[in-house]
Amino acid sequence: MAEKNTKSFILRVDSETMNAIEAWAADEFRSTNGQLQWIITEALRKAKRLPKKKKQSQEETDI
């Protein structure tokens, strides 16, 4: 199973924006952190900035 590496960082957000993110997260049944990750991932996907996924090797597909 592939292991996901994550990095932590501090993000400063004004209170109005944070309140909007928290409300959106609650509406989507996500944590605030999960909502921020989703927002960032979606923005990267739409901008075609996500790295291409590596195809599984033939050995892994033969299992």
Side-chain angles (χ1 to χ4, degrees), residues 31-50:
S31 67
T32 303
N33 187 67
Q35 188 69 20
L36 287 166
Q37 288 178 319
W38 180 83
I39 291 167
I40 293 166
T41 301
E42 282 299 296
L44 289 169
R45 184 186 61 76
K46 287 178 183 176
K48 298 183 182 198
R49 300 292 241 156
L50 285 175

Side-chain angles (χ1 to χ4, degrees), residues 1-5 56 60 63:
M1 184 180 283
E3 187 177 313
K4 262 192 167 178
N5 293 323
Q56 290 182 336
E60 291 177 2
I63 295 176

Side-chain angles (χ1 to χ4, degrees), residues 13-22:
V13 179
D14 66 83
S15 61
E16 283 185 25
T17 301
M18 193 62 187
N19 290 339
I21 293 168
E22 288 171 339

